[in-house]
Amino acid sequence: TLDLYGIEDFLLSRFDIVEGNLNLEKLKSGNYIIEGVHEDDYGNIIWGSSEYDIGDTVKINVDGIDYNYEVMAKTRIKTSTMTNRTYGNFTMYLPEEEYLKIVTTPHVMSYAFNAQDHKEKKIGLFLNQYTEHVEPLMNYESKETYRIAFRSCH
């Protein structure tokens, strides 16, 4: 199963490229794609999770239409770049603009951003209110969410 993501510049800038080179200008030409590769529990790349070599052509079929992309680079899959939190799937990343051109019904899976330390509490309160009252089907996770979960394990 292919997990295809459209990625904004913020997340692209945070990719941990493990093979090839990330050239944002070339990537945004609409001719290139980035393959995600899994890591083990110790942070070692599982190269067997890679299906392509750099420079290979990937054919993706969306709604009966074939699209071809050249593999530019491979990135380590992190939970922040894999929003469905499942492992074993085949993962590819396109720049947001290209993704929106080919996917007829795009869905926002996640939105990542950084907050200044002194504004984290205010933003957390806003997001809590927003996800409870405005968009109840939406949720959010923060550094504090993970701190609390980690503490509850001990």
Side-chain angles (χ1 to χ4, degrees), residues 7 12 16 21 24 30 51 63 69 77 81 84 87 104 128:
I7 302 293
L12 281 170
D16 181 6
N21 295 298
L24 287 176
E51 299 288 330
D63 296 329
Y69 300 99
I77 295 175
T81 58
N84 66 8
Y87 293 88
T104 54
N128 187 50

Side-chain angles (χ1 to χ4, degrees), residues 86-112:
T86 60
Y87 293 88
N89 293 334
F90 182 55
T91 305
M92 292 288 209
Y93 303 95
L94 288 170
E96 174 190 28
E97 300 83 3
E98 180 65 17
Y99 178 83
L100 291 173
K101 285 181 192 174
I102 70 169
V103 175
T104 54
T105 311
H107 300 281
V108 175
M109 295 290 292
S110 69
Y111 185 82

Side-chain angles (χ1 to χ4, degrees), residues 29-47:
S29 72
N31 298 315
Y32 297 91
I33 198 163
I34 297 173
E35 181 182 16
V37 291
H38 292 278
E39 62 181 18
D40 65 19
D41 292 339
Y42 302 100
N44 301 308
I45 296 298
I46 302 171
W47 291 107

Side-chain angles (χ1 to χ4, degrees), residues 8-67:
E8 294 178 333
D9 288 352
F10 176 75
L11 280 180
L12 281 170
S13 72
R14 300 207 176 290
F15 272 8
D16 181 6
I17 300 298
V18 296
E19 188 177 334
N21 295 298
L22 177 60
N23 178 325
L24 287 176
E25 187 176 321
K26 277 179 71 174
L27 182 65
K28 289 183 176 192
S29 72
N31 298 315
Y32 297 91
I33 198 163
I34 297 173
E35 181 182 16
V37 291
H38 292 278
E39 62 181 18
D40 65 19
D41 292 339
Y42 302 100
N44 301 308
I45 296 298
I46 302 171
W47 291 107
S49 68
S50 174
E51 299 288 330
Y52 294 94
D53 292 322
I54 302 300
D56 282 356
T57 298
V58 176
K59 183 192 293 187
I60 296 175
N61 185 288
V62 180
D63 296 329
I65 301 171
D66 289 333
Y67 298 91

